[in-house]
Each structure stands twice: as C-alpha cells, then as structure tokens.
Amino acid sequence: MRCADGPRRPEFGIKIARDLPGQLTDLDGIGWGIEETEACGIVGYDEVSPGYVGRHTIGGSAMMGLDALNALGLKAANYADASGNPVAAKIYRVAKVPLSQPNIEGYLLGGCIMANQEQRRHAHALVKVLREILPKKPGFPRVLLLCGNCEGQSLEILRTGPADMTAPDGIGRRIEIYGREHVTDTKFIGERLLALYGEYTAEKSLRRQGSSLEIKEKSSTISIGVSKRLACGITACVAACKKYARVSSN
C-alpha cells in the first residue's frame, strides 16, 4: 500500500508508506526512519537479499546503477537512494545503512546522472563514511561515480579526504573515483567493481588458508608464504595462484 497519511494515521498500521518486496527488515526500518528526522531531500532504502554489493544511487540514476551490476552478474544487496538535494548528514546516514549488511563484499555509488543537486554534500558525507568503515574492512572494494553540480570540487574532496589510506598497500587501496567521463558508461563502472571484487575475495581466500600454501605441480611441491602473495599486489599473480592452487574465491 502507498499511503502518505500512514505515519499520521496509526490506526492503519502502516510503519513505512512504501511498497516493499517482502517483510520489513531492521535495516529497512532504519533506512526509512531517516525521513522522519530530516525533511530536506528524499531518501529511500530497501534491503534485498542474498545480494552482496551495497548500492547507493542518486535520483534518476537508480536503474542505471543497477544495470551496471546486473550486466556482469553482480548481485545488489539493497536499494538506497538520496535525491532532492539532501543535506550531508542525511546522505551520511543513508550511505552507512547498506554497509551495515553483514554479507556486503563491495560498494557502488552509482551517480549515473548529471545531477543538479549539491554534490559536495555527497562527497563530504562519503569521506566521513569511508574513514569510519575502512579500518573495519581493509581493502574493501568501492567504486564511486559522482557527476553534476560542483563536480570538480566534489571529486577533489573524495580524493583528498581518504588520501592517507589509499596507498597501494593501504586500507583504502580499492577505492576508485570517477566523474562525468563515465556518467552513462555503466559497462565500465560495472567492470571496475567486478575487478576489485575479484581481488578482494581472492585476498580473503588466501588469508583463510593460514601462513603458507603448497602448490603441487608434477613431481615438485612449492611452498609460498601467504603474506608474500598478498604483499605482491599483482592481480595476475593472484589469479595464477588461484588457478594452480585451486583457491576458492567464495
């Protein structure tokens, strides 16, 4: 049922005046509850399981962001949207909700639109989220696409805010930031997230194996320290190790 009077008519028993695909989850309640405390702008949130990519879109780009994932077989874990020029505090709260889902293995800010809202608010909010989440999820893959009003300043904020974490061996090493040059290029955005997701899951698999890995090839056995494999940071090397050692990326 869609009913704008739901919150003002408690006898209707409507907790959230939106159509949801299933039963209300705790995170659904948190996401939609943001609207009750901040009137500026509009946010929406639906938790969808069993996806594993946290998705945050901006207004009219919602479906394009989903296309970027679906085209490459990546599964969205939620629908989160911030439009209507919300304040940074509201965007911050929306961005944190999908990252609170325990099954998340990647994050997409799908701003596939030349938005006329104040994009610096998105940038400031996301920097705050990154600085809070990255220490808990080192190497976590994030692709951020932000275009439109004050784009140059917004991208600069996104790049400089977590700069101390984005070294090749830093906890923010898998953050990629793009602007209007890829505003409608959902294939590229999806491919970049897929590549980062592959690196991240391969790294997690290696860590679960312990201190070393033995590779048996014909009559020889090679022992490789997992820490050295992780430190090399070369995607092709990790892929080769996965191939010959039959490392699962699940």
Side-chain angles (χ1 to χ4, degrees), residues 229 232-242:
R229 294 173 68 198
C232 76
I234 301 174
T235 303
C237 176
V238 174
C241 287
K242 287 178 61 182

Side-chain angles (χ1 to χ4, degrees), residues 46-237:
D46 291 332
E47 182 178 356
V48 181
S49 295
Y52 48 86
V53 176
R55 187 172 70 101
H56 173 183
T57 57
I58 301 173
S61 68
M63 293 301 101
M64 291 184 70
L66 186 59
D67 286 344
L69 302 179
N70 288 343
L72 294 166
L74 293 167
K75 304 298 182 183
N78 69 284
Y79 168 87
D81 178 68
S83 58
N85 205 24
V87 295
K90 193 169 187 177
I91 297 168
Y92 162 78
R93 294 171 67 190
V94 173
K96 285 204 73 173
V97 177
L99 291 171
S100 299
Q101 293 183 232
N103 54 319
I104 295 299
E105 300 281 358
Y107 178 83
L108 171 66
L109 172 66
C112 308
I113 187 172
M114 295 297 291
N116 61 5
Q117 59 184 319
E118 174 59 86
Q119 296 293 52
R120 286 177 297 190
R121 296 177 179 177
H122 261 87
H124 284 300
L126 285 166
V127 167
K128 181 173 174 60
V129 171
L130 290 172
R131 299 200 66 87
E132 291 178 359
I133 296 296
L134 281 173
K136 304 174 186 176
K137 291 178 174 286
F140 186 78
R142 293 170 172 84
V143 173
L144 312 177
L145 174 64
L146 196 61
C147 318
N149 189 20
C150 299
E151 178 182 330
Q153 296 175 42
S154 303
L155 295 178
E156 183 66 15
I157 292 167
L158 284 177
R159 293 185 178 114
T160 58
D164 58 317
M165 302 178 176
T166 54
D169 59 347
I171 58 176
R173 58 188 175 275
R174 293 194 183 93
I175 298 175
E176 295 191 1
I177 300 165
Y178 300 100
R180 67 181 62 198
E181 69 275 14
H182 296 294
V183 62
T184 60
D185 193 355
T186 56
K187 183 175 184 292
F188 172 83
I189 294 299
E191 286 175 345
R192 291 311 309 143
L193 184 58
L194 179 62
L196 297 176
Y197 166 77
E199 292 178 10
Y200 180 63
T201 53
E203 182 179 291
K204 288 177 64 178
S205 294
L206 296 180
R207 291 190 185 282
R208 285 197 295 265
Q209 294 176 56
S211 60
S212 65
L213 173 68
E214 288 190 350
I215 301 176
K216 294 183 179 181
E217 186 68 18
K218 296 182 179 180
S219 60
S220 302
T221 300
I222 302 173
S223 180
I224 302 176
V226 170
S227 60
K228 292 182 179 180
R229 294 173 68 198
L230 292 174
C232 76
I234 301 174
T235 303
C237 176

